[in-house]
């Protein structure tokens, strides 16, 4: 047996192990990049700092329109029959008179106990 044979066997084993390791590394990298691309299409971004989940993009104009639409519908469907505002209650202004507050009207509360009268 040649004196360099064990060294050559060791080097071939190391080359085979390095080749298998390199192939496994490239396969793992390919899987990671394709997974990352698929996740980015679904608005999930993985970085070294952590993971960020994005929301579906809504343009500002569409967002403002939908918000204003909701507020207008809520205003139109609401009713406050007892509420009269001096700014937009035009019925009393057209009639020409506004009812004044009477500071002397006082309705005392009913007594809690009744007094017995008679026998």
């Amino acid at each position: 047996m040649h004196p360099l044979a064990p060294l050559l066997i060791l080097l071939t084993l190391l080359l085979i192990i390095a080749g298998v390791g390199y192939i496994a590394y490239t396969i793992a990298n390919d899987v990671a990049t394709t997974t990352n691309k698929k996740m980015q299409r679904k608005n999930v971004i993985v970085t070294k700092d952590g993971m960020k989940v994005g929301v579906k993009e809504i343009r500002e104009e569409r967002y403002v329109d939908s918000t204003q639409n909701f507020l207008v519908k809520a205003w139109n469907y609401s009713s406050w029959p007892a509420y009269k505002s001096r700014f937009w209650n035009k019925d009393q202004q057209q009639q020409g008179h506004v009812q004044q507050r009477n500071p002397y009207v006082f309705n005392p509360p009913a007594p809690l106990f009744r007094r017995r009268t008679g026998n």
Side-chain angles (χ1 to χ4, degrees):
M1 199 160 179
H2 199 280
L4 293 177
L7 182 63
L8 291 175
I9 294 173
L10 179 66
L11 287 177
T12 33
L13 284 176
L14 286 177
L15 283 174
I16 291 172
I17 293 173
V20 169
Y22 177 74
I23 291 171
Y25 174 76
T26 55
I27 290 173
N29 260 353
D30 290 343
V31 168
T33 55
T34 56
T35 304
N36 196 8
K37 286 178 184 178
K38 286 182 182 180
M39 296 292 274
Q40 282 180 357
R41 277 188 252 140
K42 295 183 180 185
N43 292 329
V44 178
I45 300 169
V46 180
T47 61
K48 292 179 182 178
D49 298 333
M51 185 168 72
K52 296 178 184 178
V53 179
V55 294
K56 194 172 186 179
E57 182 180 342
I58 299 175
R59 296 189 183 211
E60 184 179 354
E61 183 178 346
R62 186 174 177 194
Y63 172 73
V64 170
D65 286 345
S66 63
T67 306
Q68 286 177 352
N69 190 14
F70 172 75
L71 290 174
V72 168
K73 282 183 181 179
W75 181 266
N76 288 337
Y77 288 128
S78 65
S79 65
W80 301 309
Y83 179 71
K84 301 289 184 186
S85 173
R86 64 181 177 155
F87 297 116
W88 59 78
N89 186 15
K90 302 297 181 187
D91 296 339
Q92 289 181 356
Q93 290 178 1
Q94 289 175 356
Q95 294 172 358
H97 64 85
V98 177
Q99 189 176 13
Q100 295 287 329
R101 184 177 78 91
N102 189 354
Y104 301 110
V105 175
F106 176 69
N107 295 328
L112 295 176
F113 300 104
R114 291 186 182 180
R115 292 186 188 184
R116 286 188 163 174
T117 57
N119 291 330

